[in-house]
Amino acid sequence: MIRKTPAPPGASRRHAARGTLGLAAAAVALALTTGPVANPAVAAVAIAAGCSGAEADFNGDGIRDTAIADPEATAAGISKAGVVHIVYGGGKGNLELTQEAAKAGPSESGDLFGHAMAVYDADLDGCSDLAIGSPYEDVGAQVDAGRAVVVYGSPAGLAAGKATVEYVQGSGLLSGIGAEADDWTGYSLAAGKSQAGVPFLAVGIPGEALDTTVDAGAFLYISGSTTVTAAFVTQETATAGAVPDVKEPYDRFGAAIAATPTHLAVSSPGEAQAAIPEAGAVTIFSHVLTSGSPKPLSVITQDTPSVLGACEDGDGFGTSLAAVPYRAAGATATTESLLAVGIPGEDLSTTVDAGAVQVFKLDAAGASTELTWIDQNVTDVGGTAEPGDHFGQRVAAFNTAPTSTSTATNVRLAVGVPGEDAANGIVDRGVVHMFPMIGPPGASDKILEPGSEIPTPAAPRQYAGMSIGGGTAGLYVGMPYGPTEGRAVYLFPWTISGTGGAPTETFKPGEGGLPAERNTFGTVVR
């Protein structure tokens, strides 16, 4: 099981032993495809009429839209089926995206539709598309096998144009891979466009069993716009070169995924290092494909040379990941990346599960250089490391100027600390830390606290920091737990200096046309 992490309502911790995969190990490495590998020339596809090409613009009007998941919401009268709320920018209205509205089959109890989300332009028409994971979707008799869907944007909005595409093991593009109980397909998602201009979607399957290796994990790499390929990648895959690790029980390879146009990072937070269980690891891939499969480049652990710290029982290195493009001074192209790795189970001396974050620079070949270690004991970093803080349970990052020289001003990092107690003794209230991703982390750090910068009254077990994400609009902080009246999503600018720091926009159930139901509103925001 996943240990040393907070368990807010709705967080699943099931890792039961399962039957064999039913596929030989050699077959696990296969690449599935409906045609030849996608042609990089798709980057030249013209923007469709009525689509702007702007980031996260689902209806093509040139204004950023917002997707807010409530994976435990009631849909079509079914409890915990899950709903994704779409708020169209510029006051253009809202869409309650159930599985029925997404034209992706019926809602079922416990699907948790919206557990993961990613935004990208899957068909390169200039209208953004939304990938949604429901890892607890039953596939036939296989309970919690999971699936991911891509809902296409159009000038009329999401699910009003091209038909939704489903990625389900055992059917369609994935017909060569059998679905099993507790695979959790769609547990994590990352998407974007490679340096070659090809759209990609990575789908985590951390519960995948390989033969008798329980919860070894895997991910799907889906590439292309018109011709689409899909590869099923495990720690034994050798299609594009050997993955620099081996499968083991409870690795949970694919539990977290992050990507830039150059790199793909895939974590296995349950990875054992020698005799040390659940130390964790992160594997780096490029978007260069062989038979649809991405090229493995390197693996990072806390025992990797020149990496600070050491592998310890329950660290969970890679529980969370965030990546942004990086351009060094004088560079003529952005071919490097910055990667933030959350280690919420990190012990600091005798402070158990205080947590930490490590920031790495990845060169074009995937070699890593550690830039920063961040915890609450680092000089000038606000707060104090305490047992059970779980600093790094979530991380989010953004480069506000990806084609310019990367600096502490334009490359920003947010860290969730959901186990942080308030000074007045409110247990697990949680906070969000904001840092520069380059240079001394305490130089311009800012803490967002419930009852202060986050305008939700502080309460026990709010777990602030369990939901963070963002883009050009800023940093979204979701508050899906704690008292129901406090459930909301707040948008903050990426750079906040001095005191204060009020949100620039608020999304709250029952306001602005949003439904009043607020089960876990804001669990994921994109």
Side-chain angles (χ1 to χ4, degrees):
M1 55 186 284
I2 299 174
R3 302 182 301 170
K4 298 189 173 183
T5 57
S12 177
R13 295 290 181 265
R14 289 177 295 167
H15 286 281
R18 296 176 284 150
T20 60
L21 177 66
L23 292 176
V28 167
L30 59 82
L32 305 166
T33 179
T34 56
V37 174
N39 188 338
V42 295
V45 173
I47 291 177
C51 291
S52 71
E55 181 203 51
D57 179 14
F58 302 124
N59 60 357
D61 62 358
I63 304 172
R64 194 187 198 282
D65 306 317
T66 303
I68 303 171
D70 187 343
E72 294 191 27
T74 300
I78 307 298
S79 67
K80 298 186 178 181
V83 172
V84 175
H85 301 283
I86 306 300
V87 180
Y88 291 114
K92 301 291 180 64
N94 305 329
L95 169 65
E96 188 171 341
L97 196 63
T98 63
Q99 293 179 75
E100 287 82 2
K103 301 172 186 176
S107 295
E108 299 167 316
S109 181
D111 280 351
L112 270 61
F113 182 70
H115 179 274
M117 297 192 299
V119 176
Y120 71 131
D121 189 355
D123 55 358
L124 297 180
D125 68 348
C127 279
S128 296
D129 309 310
L130 181 63
I132 304 173
S134 47
Y136 306 109
E137 176 83 27
D138 297 346
V139 177
Q142 304 303 320
V143 177
D144 295 349
R147 71 167 178 168
V149 302
V150 176
V151 185
Y152 287 90
S154 74
L158 280 169
K162 296 177 67 172
T164 294
V165 173
E166 299 183 47
Y167 293 105
V168 181
Q169 293 191 69
S171 66
L173 195 60
L174 309 178
S175 58
I177 307 172
E180 294 91 31
D182 299 314
D183 277 347
W184 301 350
T185 301
Y187 187 89
S188 59
L189 298 172
K193 190 165 65 173
S194 71
Q195 291 281 7
V198 181
F200 64 85
L201 171 66
V203 180
I205 318 175
E208 182 72 44
L210 303 177
D211 297 319
T212 58
T213 307
V214 177
D215 290 357
F219 73 93
L220 299 171
Y221 187 88
I222 298 160
S223 175
S225 58
T226 52
T227 298
V228 178
T229 65
F232 180 73
V233 183
T234 76
Q235 290 172 304
E236 293 194 323
T237 298
T239 305
V243 174
D245 219 325
V246 296
K247 67 175 185 180
E248 297 167 313
Y250 308 110
D251 278 351
R252 296 186 296 277
F253 182 65
I257 306 177
T260 68
T262 306
H263 299 104
L264 178 72
V266 181
S267 81
S268 45
E271 179 77 37
Q273 300 296 334
I276 302 171
E278 300 195 357
V282 177
T283 305
I284 309 302
F285 297 81
S286 78
H287 298 289
V288 176
L289 306 183
T290 299
S291 299
S293 190
K295 180 180 179 180
L297 301 176
S298 61
V299 65
I300 307 172
T301 75
Q302 287 187 296
D303 281 347
T304 298
S306 300
V307 171
L308 294 174
C311 291
E312 299 165 319
D313 182 359
D315 277 350
F317 181 87
T319 295
S320 60
L321 299 174
V324 297
Y326 172 79
R327 179 178 286 198
T332 58
T334 305
T335 59
E336 297 185 313
S337 303
L338 296 183
L339 174 68
V341 180
I343 325 163
E346 180 73 34
D347 297 346
L348 301 177
S349 185
T350 59
T351 308
V352 177
D353 294 348
V357 171
Q358 292 179 269
V359 178
F360 300 90
K361 180 176 71 70
L362 306 175
D363 68 16
S368 62
T369 301
E370 183 165 359
L371 299 184
T372 312
W373 170 288
I374 310 173
D375 64 51
Q376 289 179 297
N377 287 339
V378 169
T379 301
D380 294 330
V381 169
T384 303
E386 299 163 318
D389 278 350
H390 301 287
F391 183 94
Q393 184 72 29
R394 296 286 185 270
V395 290
F398 190 68
N399 188 338
T400 62
T403 59
S404 301
T405 298
S406 297
T407 67
T409 300
N410 58 33
V411 184
R412 306 296 295 175
L413 173 68
V415 177
V417 196
E420 179 80 31
D421 298 342
N424 60 1
I426 298 176
V427 176
D428 294 339
R429 176 203 58 179
V431 299
V432 176
H433 269 271
M434 299 178 71
F435 300 101
M437 209 170 180
I438 300 172
S444 61
D445 73 320
K446 178 68 179 178
I447 300 178
L448 307 179
E449 302 181 352
S452 181
E453 296 80 9
I454 301 174
T456 293
R461 289 173 291 281
Q462 280 180 307
Y463 302 109
M466 282 295 287
S467 172
I468 52 177
T472 55
L475 171 69
Y476 289 106
V477 176
M479 296 293 294
Y481 306 116
T484 56
E485 63 272 15
R487 312 280 169 87
V489 171
Y490 302 98
L491 178 63
F492 293 89
W494 274 108
T495 301
I496 300 175
S497 59
T499 60
T504 58
E505 195 168 2
T506 297
F507 306 86
K508 200 163 188 176
E511 299 180 5
L514 288 165
E517 187 182 25
R518 55 185 76 192
N519 289 315
T520 50
F521 180 88
T523 295
V524 185
V525 189
R526 295 291 182 264

